[in-house]
Amino acid sequence: MNIAVIGAQWGDEGKGKIVDYLASETDVVVRFSGGANAGHTVVAENVTYKLHLIPSGIIYPGKQVVLGAGMVIDLEAMFEELSILEQQGVDTSGNVFISDRAHLVLPSYKERDKESDKTRKRPIGTTGRGIGITYARKAGREGIRVADLYDTEFYNGLPKEDKAFLDPFRERISPMVIDITDFLYNRLGERILLEGAQGTLLDIDHGTYPYVSSGCSIAAGASIGSGIGPKHIDRILGVFKAYSTRVGNGPFPSEFNDARDGSLCETVRELGREYGVTTGRPRRCGYLDLVALKYACRVNSFDSLVLTHIDVYDEFEEISACVGYEIDGKRVDRFPASIGSLNKVKPVLKSFPGWKSSLSDCRTYDELPENAKKYIAFIEEFTGTAMEIISVGYERRQTIVRKDQWTKS
Ligand code: IMP
């Protein structure tokens, strides 16, 4: 059986924690999209791990992790990350595999990534990790894949400076390189976790284009980027925060604004530690956008939702969520493609009474205060999707599971 874990917002939803939680009962964890632009934080036994390329399951001894075919890999960054993990006591040897179809990021792409954002008509606010350039070269059929490192004729024809960068990695990664489809097909009877990066609204096709990343971050990407056919994806979980954040530029319909919301943005940013793991940038913050969440439920066909960061609201008298859009004086209940329309949105807000108590020690749904349950029930009804996992803190144990995800239903 396998489960795909997908971001339902603009990334940073807490997928790392949820993958880490589910990974305890998993045999293999596969990252299927993106590259070192991602930043997944995992807290285990009071140690904080920051992951960018390596799938979150690595923290458990003996778990196998795979960097999938849909990824774009900066080998230098990957070995730096492995070395930090080793310093933190994680034994990674023999457990990390790389798809031979994944594309490689070269150092010059990172510079070009930053430069092109400066001259773009609509600057994205890229993380500058070379992601957009690598995916552009992939689509232009000019990319360099892991398999190409071992194709002597192709490899010898590469520019000298590219070879100088790649040479030391050829032997070093060779024991890690696999045919991912073969590797996973033979293990379909085991438990496989497909780890998403970024989020639905940063997806190249279904996100807020052009203010998106360049990979396929929706559930369909789990199939594309892992090489497991769509019929074999058994369960899809959508992870979202009790509020919204986005890093970089682009429309954000429910973003807090000081005139309407006072210091709410600062409060949520501080309580939720909303600073980028990859760039350290303060994240833009806003109300939970249920119009966008419903859209994410449809585009990903989530089997269930996972709510994180609900504890950020513990001391609030009242909390609000965006339940509709007003655009040019008209009520709109769907998530538009047009950036112009999204920029004009006035969020229609609905308020809920707060629970004024700490959720951090709740371990079952029944232990949650009534007002938290009502907020959860409203989201389930609005999106038509069950909420089966609720995270009430950063630690693994601070997780409420309403239904075992590995049981087929
Ligand atoms: P790029 O993928 O580095 O080109 O960045 C494109 C956009 O996606 C920028 O607005 C980034 O801030 C955003 N982005 C990329 N990866 C992540 C992520 O993991 N979390 C949140 N935002 C991201």
Side-chain angles (χ1 to χ4, degrees), residues 10-12 37-39 124-128 131 198 202 212-213 247-249 281:
W10 280 281
D12 311 316
N37 51 348
I124 313 295
T126 163
T127 60
I131 308 301
Q198 287 77 51
L202 289 174
V212 290
S213 190
V247 208
N249 304 330
R281 290 180 287 184

PDB file of all heavy atoms in Angstrom, residues 10-12 37-39 124-128 131 198 202 212-213 247-249 281, ligand 1:
ATOM      1  N   TRP A  10       0.293  26.919  -0.108  1.00  0.00           N
ATOM      2  CA  TRP A  10       1.473  27.394  -0.847  1.00  0.00           C
ATOM      3  C   TRP A  10       2.771  26.822  -0.275  1.00  0.00           C
ATOM      4  O   TRP A  10       3.787  27.511  -0.194  1.00  0.00           O
ATOM      5  CB  TRP A  10       1.538  28.921  -0.796  1.00  0.00           C
ATOM      6  CG  TRP A  10       0.640  29.626  -1.757  1.00  0.00           C
ATOM      7  CD1 TRP A  10       0.860  29.821  -3.091  1.00  0.00           C
ATOM      8  CD2 TRP A  10      -0.612  30.252  -1.473  1.00  0.00           C
ATOM      9  NE1 TRP A  10      -0.196  30.516  -3.641  1.00  0.00           N
ATOM     10  CE2 TRP A  10      -1.098  30.800  -2.680  1.00  0.00           C
ATOM     11  CE3 TRP A  10      -1.381  30.400  -0.310  1.00  0.00           C
ATOM     12  CZ2 TRP A  10      -2.309  31.484  -2.771  1.00  0.00           C
ATOM     13  CZ3 TRP A  10      -2.572  31.075  -0.386  1.00  0.00           C
ATOM     14  CH2 TRP A  10      -3.031  31.603  -1.606  1.00  0.00           C
ATOM     15  N   GLY A  11       2.753  25.577   0.140  1.00  0.00           N
ATOM     16  CA  GLY A  11       3.944  24.991   0.751  1.00  0.00           C
ATOM     17  C   GLY A  11       4.023  25.338   2.237  1.00  0.00           C
ATOM     18  O   GLY A  11       3.181  26.090   2.761  1.00  0.00           O
ATOM     19  N   ASP A  12       4.995  24.727   2.929  1.00  0.00           N
ATOM     20  CA  ASP A  12       5.226  24.985   4.357  1.00  0.00           C
ATOM     21  C   ASP A  12       4.026  24.633   5.232  1.00  0.00           C
ATOM     22  O   ASP A  12       3.804  25.266   6.272  1.00  0.00           O
ATOM     23  CB  ASP A  12       5.627  26.461   4.598  1.00  0.00           C
ATOM     24  CG  ASP A  12       6.733  26.906   3.669  1.00  0.00           C
ATOM     25  OD1 ASP A  12       7.685  26.134   3.503  1.00  0.00           O
ATOM     26  OD2 ASP A  12       6.637  28.016   3.093  1.00  0.00           O
ATOM     27  N   ASN A  37      14.785  23.799  -3.149  1.00  0.00           N
ATOM     28  CA  ASN A  37      13.931  24.944  -2.789  1.00  0.00           C
ATOM     29  C   ASN A  37      13.045  24.603  -1.600  1.00  0.00           C
ATOM     30  O   ASN A  37      12.585  25.484  -0.877  1.00  0.00           O
ATOM     31  CB  ASN A  37      13.067  25.390  -3.988  1.00  0.00           C
ATOM     32  CG  ASN A  37      12.300  24.252  -4.656  1.00  0.00           C
ATOM     33  OD1 ASN A  37      12.542  23.086  -4.389  1.00  0.00           O
ATOM     34  ND2 ASN A  37      11.391  24.602  -5.540  1.00  0.00           N
ATOM     35  N   ALA A  38      12.782  23.317  -1.380  1.00  0.00           N
ATOM     36  CA  ALA A  38      11.896  22.891  -0.288  1.00  0.00           C
ATOM     37  C   ALA A  38      12.629  22.958   1.045  1.00  0.00           C
ATOM     38  O   ALA A  38      13.857  22.866   1.093  1.00  0.00           O
ATOM     39  CB  ALA A  38      11.435  21.462  -0.546  1.00  0.00           C
ATOM     40  N   GLY A  39      11.874  23.101   2.097  1.00  0.00           N
ATOM     41  CA  GLY A  39      12.464  23.070   3.431  1.00  0.00           C
ATOM     42  C   GLY A  39      11.509  22.348   4.349  1.00  0.00           C
ATOM     43  O   GLY A  39      10.441  22.848   4.645  1.00  0.00           O
ATOM     44  N   ILE A 124       9.116  36.403  -9.437  1.00  0.00           N
ATOM     45  CA  ILE A 124       8.435  35.358  -8.658  1.00  0.00           C
ATOM     46  C   ILE A 124       8.860  35.396  -7.189  1.00  0.00           C
ATOM     47  O   ILE A 124       8.102  34.991  -6.310  1.00  0.00           O
ATOM     48  CB  ILE A 124       8.817  33.949  -9.211  1.00  0.00           C
ATOM     49  CG1 ILE A 124       8.710  33.866 -10.734  1.00  0.00           C
ATOM     50  CG2 ILE A 124       8.037  32.836  -8.545  1.00  0.00           C
ATOM     51  CD1 ILE A 124       7.352  34.008 -11.276  1.00  0.00           C
ATOM     52  N   GLY A 125      10.128  35.842  -6.967  1.00  0.00           N
ATOM     53  CA  GLY A 125      10.669  35.718  -5.612  1.00  0.00           C
ATOM     54  C   GLY A 125      11.220  34.313  -5.424  1.00  0.00           C
ATOM     55  O   GLY A 125      11.041  33.687  -4.385  1.00  0.00           O
ATOM     56  N   THR A 126      11.900  33.814  -6.461  1.00  0.00           N
ATOM     57  CA  THR A 126      12.447  32.445  -6.415  1.00  0.00           C
ATOM     58  C   THR A 126      13.417  32.254  -5.244  1.00  0.00           C
ATOM     59  O   THR A 126      14.024  33.221  -4.777  1.00  0.00           O
ATOM     60  CB  THR A 126      13.176  32.112  -7.748  1.00  0.00           C
ATOM     61  OG1 THR A 126      14.028  30.990  -7.567  1.00  0.00           O
ATOM     62  CG2 THR A 126      14.013  33.257  -8.267  1.00  0.00           C
ATOM     63  N   THR A 127      13.576  31.017  -4.820  1.00  0.00           N
ATOM     64  CA  THR A 127      14.538  30.718  -3.755  1.00  0.00           C
ATOM     65  C   THR A 127      15.972  30.745  -4.307  1.00  0.00           C
ATOM     66  O   THR A 127      16.929  30.619  -3.552  1.00  0.00           O
ATOM     67  CB  THR A 127      14.281  29.314  -3.145  1.00  0.00           C
ATOM     68  OG1 THR A 127      14.419  28.336  -4.178  1.00  0.00           O
ATOM     69  CG2 THR A 127      12.892  29.209  -2.539  1.00  0.00           C
ATOM     70  N   GLY A 128      16.105  30.836  -5.628  1.00  0.00           N
ATOM     71  CA  GLY A 128      17.434  30.933  -6.237  1.00  0.00           C
ATOM     72  C   GLY A 128      18.226  29.638  -6.209  1.00  0.00           C
ATOM     73  O   GLY A 128      19.454  29.642  -6.237  1.00  0.00           O
ATOM     74  N   ILE A 131      16.019  25.878  -9.580  1.00  0.00           N
ATOM     75  CA  ILE A 131      14.916  24.949  -9.850  1.00  0.00           C
ATOM     76  C   ILE A 131      14.256  25.272 -11.201  1.00  0.00           C
ATOM     77  O   ILE A 131      14.078  24.396 -12.056  1.00  0.00           O
ATOM     78  CB  ILE A 131      13.850  25.030  -8.706  1.00  0.00           C
ATOM     79  CG1 ILE A 131      14.510  24.854  -7.346  1.00  0.00           C
ATOM     80  CG2 ILE A 131      12.704  24.069  -8.950  1.00  0.00           C
ATOM     81  CD1 ILE A 131      15.252  23.572  -7.134  1.00  0.00           C
ATOM     82  N   GLN A 198       6.615  21.604  -1.841  1.00  0.00           N
ATOM     83  CA  GLN A 198       5.834  22.805  -2.170  1.00  0.00           C
ATOM     84  C   GLN A 198       4.349  22.523  -1.879  1.00  0.00           C
ATOM     85  O   GLN A 198       4.055  21.815  -0.934  1.00  0.00           O
ATOM     86  CB  GLN A 198       6.052  23.241  -3.617  1.00  0.00           C
ATOM     87  CG  GLN A 198       7.405  23.886  -3.893  1.00  0.00           C
ATOM     88  CD  GLN A 198       8.547  22.900  -3.981  1.00  0.00           C
ATOM     89  OE1 GLN A 198       8.454  21.924  -4.707  1.00  0.00           O
ATOM     90  NE2 GLN A 198       9.626  23.138  -3.273  1.00  0.00           N
ATOM     91  N   LEU A 202       1.370  26.154  -5.622  1.00  0.00           N
ATOM     92  CA  LEU A 202       2.674  26.418  -6.254  1.00  0.00           C
ATOM     93  C   LEU A 202       2.921  25.451  -7.401  1.00  0.00           C
ATOM     94  O   LEU A 202       4.000  25.432  -8.001  1.00  0.00           O
ATOM     95  CB  LEU A 202       3.808  26.288  -5.232  1.00  0.00           C
ATOM     96  CG  LEU A 202       3.925  27.382  -4.174  1.00  0.00           C
ATOM     97  CD1 LEU A 202       5.015  27.023  -3.155  1.00  0.00           C
ATOM     98  CD2 LEU A 202       4.234  28.740  -4.802  1.00  0.00           C
ATOM     99  N   VAL A 212       4.539  30.496  -9.208  1.00  0.00           N
ATOM    100  CA  VAL A 212       4.545  29.101  -8.789  1.00  0.00           C
ATOM    101  C   VAL A 212       5.994  28.606  -8.840  1.00  0.00           C
ATOM    102  O   VAL A 212       6.875  29.312  -9.332  1.00  0.00           O
ATOM    103  CB  VAL A 212       3.677  28.244  -9.751  1.00  0.00           C
ATOM    104  CG1 VAL A 212       2.200  28.557  -9.591  1.00  0.00           C
ATOM    105  CG2 VAL A 212       4.103  28.418 -11.214  1.00  0.00           C
ATOM    106  N   SER A 213       6.201  27.377  -8.386  1.00  0.00           N
ATOM    107  CA  SER A 213       7.486  26.745  -8.632  1.00  0.00           C
ATOM    108  C   SER A 213       7.358  26.017  -9.974  1.00  0.00           C
ATOM    109  O   SER A 213       6.353  26.195 -10.669  1.00  0.00           O
ATOM    110  CB  SER A 213       7.839  25.806  -7.473  1.00  0.00           C
ATOM    111  OG  SER A 213       9.172  25.385  -7.628  1.00  0.00           O
ATOM    112  N   VAL A 247       5.433  32.353   0.663  1.00  0.00           N
ATOM    113  CA  VAL A 247       6.737  33.025   0.603  1.00  0.00           C
ATOM    114  C   VAL A 247       6.938  33.469  -0.837  1.00  0.00           C
ATOM    115  O   VAL A 247       6.558  32.755  -1.759  1.00  0.00           O
ATOM    116  CB  VAL A 247       7.920  32.088   0.934  1.00  0.00           C
ATOM    117  CG1 VAL A 247       9.073  32.874   1.523  1.00  0.00           C
ATOM    118  CG2 VAL A 247       7.523  30.965   1.833  1.00  0.00           C
ATOM    119  N   GLY A 248       7.547  34.619  -1.010  1.00  0.00           N
ATOM    120  CA  GLY A 248       7.750  35.102  -2.383  1.00  0.00           C
ATOM    121  C   GLY A 248       6.521  35.870  -2.847  1.00  0.00           C
ATOM    122  O   GLY A 248       5.601  36.165  -2.069  1.00  0.00           O
ATOM    123  N   ASN A 249       6.530  36.185  -4.141  1.00  0.00           N
ATOM    124  CA  ASN A 249       5.488  37.065  -4.669  1.00  0.00           C
ATOM    125  C   ASN A 249       4.267  36.287  -5.147  1.00  0.00           C
ATOM    126  O   ASN A 249       4.288  35.079  -5.226  1.00  0.00           O
ATOM    127  CB  ASN A 249       6.064  37.880  -5.829  1.00  0.00           C
ATOM    128  CG  ASN A 249       7.301  38.641  -5.392  1.00  0.00           C
ATOM    129  OD1 ASN A 249       7.410  39.022  -4.228  1.00  0.00           O
ATOM    130  ND2 ASN A 249       8.240  38.838  -6.302  1.00  0.00           N
ATOM    131  N   ARG A 281      13.394  33.861   4.892  1.00  0.00           N
ATOM    132  CA  ARG A 281      12.493  35.008   4.664  1.00  0.00           C
ATOM    133  C   ARG A 281      11.264  34.914   5.566  1.00  0.00           C
ATOM    134  O   ARG A 281      10.718  33.822   5.756  1.00  0.00           O
ATOM    135  CB  ARG A 281      11.998  35.011   3.205  1.00  0.00           C
ATOM    136  CG  ARG A 281      13.054  35.353   2.190  1.00  0.00           C
ATOM    137  CD  ARG A 281      12.485  35.347   0.783  1.00  0.00           C
ATOM    138  NE  ARG A 281      12.205  34.001   0.280  1.00  0.00           N
ATOM    139  CZ  ARG A 281      11.769  33.740  -0.951  1.00  0.00           C
ATOM    140  NH1 ARG A 281      11.508  34.723  -1.791  1.00  0.00           N
ATOM    141  NH2 ARG A 281      11.556  32.507  -1.339  1.00  0.00           N
TER     142      ARG A 281
HETATM  143  P1  IMP B   1      11.541  28.468  -6.899  1.00  0.00           P
HETATM  144  O1  IMP B   1      10.882  27.119  -6.888  1.00  0.00           O
HETATM  145  O2  IMP B   1      12.743  28.551  -6.032  1.00  0.00           O
HETATM  146  O3  IMP B   1      11.772  28.982  -8.282  1.00  0.00           O
HETATM  147  O4  IMP B   1      10.493  29.516  -6.260  1.00  0.00           O
HETATM  148  C1  IMP B   1       9.267  29.825  -6.875  1.00  0.00           C
HETATM  149  C2  IMP B   1       8.257  30.273  -5.842  1.00  0.00           C
HETATM  150  O5  IMP B   1       7.872  29.152  -5.061  1.00  0.00           O
HETATM  151  C3  IMP B   1       8.782  31.319  -4.867  1.00  0.00           C
HETATM  152  O6  IMP B   1       7.719  32.184  -4.507  1.00  0.00           O
HETATM  153  C4  IMP B   1       9.196  30.503  -3.664  1.00  0.00           C
HETATM  154  O7  IMP B   1       9.162  31.244  -2.483  1.00  0.00           O
HETATM  155  C5  IMP B   1       8.136  29.410  -3.678  1.00  0.00           C
HETATM  156  N1  IMP B   1       8.601  28.164  -3.085  1.00  0.00           N
HETATM  157  C6  IMP B   1       9.418  27.237  -3.645  1.00  0.00           C
HETATM  158  N2  IMP B   1       9.586  26.205  -2.807  1.00  0.00           N
HETATM  159  C7  IMP B   1       8.863  26.469  -1.703  1.00  0.00           C
HETATM  160  C8  IMP B   1       8.616  25.746  -0.494  1.00  0.00           C
HETATM  161  O8  IMP B   1       9.100  24.637  -0.262  1.00  0.00           O
HETATM  162  N3  IMP B   1       7.796  26.378   0.400  1.00  0.00           N
HETATM  163  C9  IMP B   1       7.214  27.573   0.152  1.00  0.00           C
HETATM  164  N4  IMP B   1       7.411  28.277  -0.959  1.00  0.00           N
HETATM  165  C10 IMP B   1       8.225  27.713  -1.891  1.00  0.00           C
END
